[in-house]
Amino acid sequence: KDDEKPKSRSEELAEALQLVPHPEGGFFRETFRSTVGVSWTDGTGATVGRDASTAIYYLLSDDATSAFHRLDDDEVWHLYEADCPLWIH
């Protein structure tokens, strides 16, 4: 329609990649989940487990932020499209 405003690049990407809102802010879609699991014993003696690896697309628009949080797992980040550096604190 003529009265519709053009989509932002973030909106275009979210639609093209079929992203959904992420609980910590931004948008995401899982793209891979390993069929292999890993397990270990935690400090209480309980066995804990999870998938060996997962991968997601994650998008923050220009006006969005992600809540600061501590990670207990390794993460790999790929920056595909941006007009400025990615700062992680």
Side-chain angles (χ1 to χ4, degrees):
K1 296 178 181 179
D2 290 336
D3 60 342
E4 289 183 19
K5 77 174 194 171
K7 290 182 181 177
S8 69
R9 182 64 178 142
S10 295
E11 290 169 326
E12 290 174 351
L13 288 169
E15 184 177 304
L17 297 172
Q18 301 175 337
L19 306 181
V20 297
H22 190 280
E24 296 170 357
F27 297 87
F28 84 110
R29 180 172 63 92
E30 185 176 285
T31 60
F32 173 79
R33 181 171 294 272
S34 176
T35 58
V36 175
V38 294
S39 62
W40 63 95
T41 304
D42 71 7
T44 68
T47 300
V48 183
R50 62 174 50 151
D51 299 308
S53 177
T54 60
I56 65 170
Y57 282 130
Y58 183 70
L59 170 72
L60 278 178
S61 60
D62 292 339
D63 59 347
T65 59
S66 178
F68 184 75
H69 57 284
R70 182 175 299 266
L71 303 172
D72 59 357
D73 299 302
D74 295 333
E75 286 192 349
V76 176
W77 292 55
H78 299 267
L79 180 61
Y80 292 111
E81 191 171 316
D83 293 333
C84 62
L86 173 65
W87 294 96
I88 302 173
H89 301 273

